[in-house]
Amino acid sequence: MSFAVCRSLLVGFGMALTLVFSLHAQQRVIALDKLQSGLQFSGAEVQSLQADEFANPGNIALDNGNKLWSKPDGNSNKSCQSCHGEIGRMKGVSVLYPAIDKTTGKLFNLEDRIRNCRVKHQKASDWVFESDELLAVSLAVTTSSRGLPLQASIDGAAKTHLENGQRLFMTRQGQMNLACTHCHDQRYGQKLFTDPLSQGQANGYPLYRIDWQRLASLERRLRFCYTGVKAEIPPWGHSDMRDISLYLMWRGQGLPVEAPAVRK
């Protein structure tokens, strides 16, 4: 067999592998018509608390986020509202994240976008990950899209991030030798101790966790899962966390945004 023929066969085989992997990377384990929000796996008390417009514990952070949105800050003496208008104009924004930032080419989640705008445009001090201020503004922006379906894009440069996110979701990790899929794809509805396992959907974040007595981001929840399987936790803001988040948003495509959401 000639070198040219061998090369042609190898190239063709490589393209076939790429196609197979691409299809696999966009294959849904849970069908769209089977998706269930984490709220459906919560007890009646949690469901009632989320539905109560007055007692919902996330409302305190939401009020703070709305105030911060319109508060001038930094050397520019501008507020978020100065550029973007009233918070209601953010309707439809949060459902698109994580998304590729056109300037840096990086995958940004909503918190990354807020931090970037704060430093770059407001000329203000950065808000650290999981700070009250960052989560409050993130919640305010997200609440503007309450009820809208998740629809993060996986086209273009985002595709590679999606594929890595799925790989991480399917990979066994830590001393427990477990992958995310083992709990949230294969055993949702079954009980872990006293609580049923959910599908691990991300349509409620940032949300108020009763166990933690505070608002929490999706990244904090992912880090908690890494702790649960006794795996090495990536640093805050690591690209792997963004990739898993994108996969989760695509995996839960169509689920409505719940904000302020409450979980146990």
Side-chain angles (χ1 to χ4, degrees):
M1 187 179 293
S2 69
F3 173 80
V5 173
C6 287
R7 183 176 183 277
S8 178
L9 288 173
L10 287 172
V11 170
F13 182 63
M15 291 176 65
L17 284 177
T18 300
L19 178 60
V20 169
F21 180 75
S22 177
L23 290 172
H24 174 70
Q26 296 183 31
Q27 193 173 41
R28 298 183 188 278
V29 178
I30 303 176
L32 291 178
D33 62 351
K34 301 295 183 183
L35 297 181
Q36 294 176 276
S37 166
L39 186 64
Q40 294 175 257
F41 298 88
S42 302
E45 291 184 1
V46 172
Q47 294 180 13
S48 177
L49 192 59
Q50 178 170 312
D52 193 319
E53 294 187 10
F54 297 99
N56 187 315
N59 283 337
I60 297 175
L62 177 59
D63 288 343
N64 188 37
N66 287 329
K67 291 175 182 177
L68 288 168
W69 180 264
S70 59
K71 178 183 177 182
D73 202 355
N75 292 332
S76 70
N77 197 35
K78 290 183 177 181
S79 66
C80 305
Q81 186 168 302
S82 299
C83 294
H84 301 288
E86 294 183 357
I87 191 67
R89 297 188 64 183
M90 290 294 98
K91 182 178 181 179
V93 171
S94 70
V95 299
L96 304 175
Y97 280 85
I100 297 295
D101 175 56
K102 294 180 180 179
T103 302
T104 64
K106 295 181 179 179
L107 186 68
F108 275 14
N109 65 10
L110 183 58
E111 287 79 18
D112 294 328
R113 171 60 62 203
I114 292 169
R115 295 177 75 218
N116 181 268
C117 282
R118 179 170 170 78
V119 173
K120 184 176 180 180
H121 299 295
Q122 288 184 287
K123 310 298 182 184
S125 59
D126 197 2
W127 282 335
V128 298
F129 290 112
E130 219 62 16
S131 63
D132 291 341
E133 295 85 356
L134 179 60
L135 290 174
V137 173
S138 178
L139 178 61
V141 173
T142 301
T143 302
S144 297
S145 297
R146 180 165 53 193
L148 296 182
L150 301 181
Q151 51 181 321
S153 172
I154 58 169
D155 296 330
K159 183 180 177 182
T160 301
H161 294 281
L162 172 81
E163 292 172 348
N164 186 50
Q166 177 172 349
R167 180 188 64 80
L168 292 166
F169 193 86
M170 301 296 177
T171 300
R172 293 178 181 270
Q173 297 192 55
Q175 295 177 23
M176 301 294 289
N177 196 33
L178 289 172
C180 309
T181 187
H182 293 138
C183 289
H184 301 299
D185 286 334
Q186 300 174 20
R187 294 178 176 82
Y188 65 85
Q190 298 180 27
K191 284 192 174 182
L192 178 64
F193 302 111
T194 60
D195 299 317
L197 290 166
S198 75
Q199 291 182 352
Q201 302 293 351
N203 59 308
Y205 287 89
L207 54 74
Y208 188 92
R209 295 200 67 90
I210 297 173
D211 285 350
W212 297 343
Q213 291 290 290
R214 63 163 294 159
L215 203 66
S217 67
L218 177 58
E219 182 169 2
R220 179 172 178 180
R221 187 65 183 89
L222 291 173
R223 293 170 66 84
F224 184 76
C225 284
Y226 270 74
T227 300
V229 298
K230 302 185 186 304
E232 183 177 353
I233 305 174
W236 278 99
H238 194 277
S239 59
D240 281 351
M241 292 294 189
R242 302 294 175 266
D243 293 353
I244 297 177
S245 297
L246 177 61
Y247 173 69
L248 289 175
M249 294 301 184
W250 173 80
R251 176 177 174 266
Q253 182 179 344
L255 282 175
V257 170
E258 298 173 15
V262 180
R263 299 291 185 270
K264 184 178 178 182

